[in-house]
Amino acid sequence: VLEVVESGGGSVEAGGSLKLSCVASGFTVSSRCMGWFRQAPGPEREGVGTERKLVATLNRDGRTYYHTSVEGRFTISRDSDTNTLYLQMDNLKPEDTAMYYCVGTGLYGAYCSTYGEETRSFTYWGQGTHVTVSS
């Protein structure tokens, strides 16, 4: 089974930190581009979320992409020994509140642009882990 499973979400106050983890099965996180998307809650009355936005990606060669809203606060990394992708989130803000999804490209060696990618670039999606930041 090829899949990714996230963990590490929770509730923190503004200024706090969280570290999200993503364990991959069936492939190695160092073999392709991996990343994190997030989807903020939409208007309650509509019952749907907002558009999923790319937060960060990490390529095989170590090159990264960060959305401008998280640059300098979030760090994406991986551990090949445990086959885990991480997202260290520091100085969290209420606007970081969202469901965070771990993603992976489908092909061995696939590369992500350092200018960002769309949702369709990624084959593997986790179920998400929720992050709530209170002011």
Side-chain angles (χ1 to χ4, degrees):
V1 176
L2 285 78
E3 65 177 5
V4 292
V5 179
E6 312 95 333
S7 63
S11 297
V12 296
E13 292 185 349
S17 298
L18 281 173
K19 188 173 186 177
L20 306 183
S21 300
C22 169
V23 179
S25 300
F27 64 94
T28 57
V29 297
S30 60
S31 67
R32 66 200 65 208
C33 175
M34 301 287 295
W36 295 89
F37 273 83
R38 70 184 181 187
Q39 184 173 29
E44 195 170 325
R45 66 181 181 277
E46 294 181 8
V48 296
T50 58
E51 178 186 357
R52 293 184 181 185
K53 294 184 179 179
L54 183 62
V55 175
T57 60
L58 175 61
N59 281 301
R60 289 183 67 197
D61 62 4
R63 275 185 274 190
T64 58
Y65 159 85
Y66 292 99
H67 191 275
T68 54
S69 64
V70 306
E71 203 154 18
R73 299 187 297 121
F74 290 12
T75 304
I76 189 170
S77 64
R78 63 180 174 234
D79 184 335
S80 297
D81 291 339
T82 60
N83 204 30
T84 303
L85 181 76
Y86 297 103
L87 185 68
Q88 176 67 45
M89 305 186 295
D90 297 318
N91 190 21
L92 282 161
K93 303 176 181 180
E95 52 263 43
D96 294 320
T97 294
M99 185 73 81
Y100 284 73
Y101 297 92
C102 174
V103 296
T105 48
L107 296 178
Y108 177 90
Y111 185 84
C112 288
S113 169
T114 53
Y115 294 99
E117 292 286 349
E118 297 181 355
T119 56
R120 62 185 178 185
S121 297
F122 301 94
T123 299
Y124 304 112
W125 288 75
Q127 293 300 306
T129 186
H130 201 264
V131 172
T132 301
V133 185
S134 59
S135 57

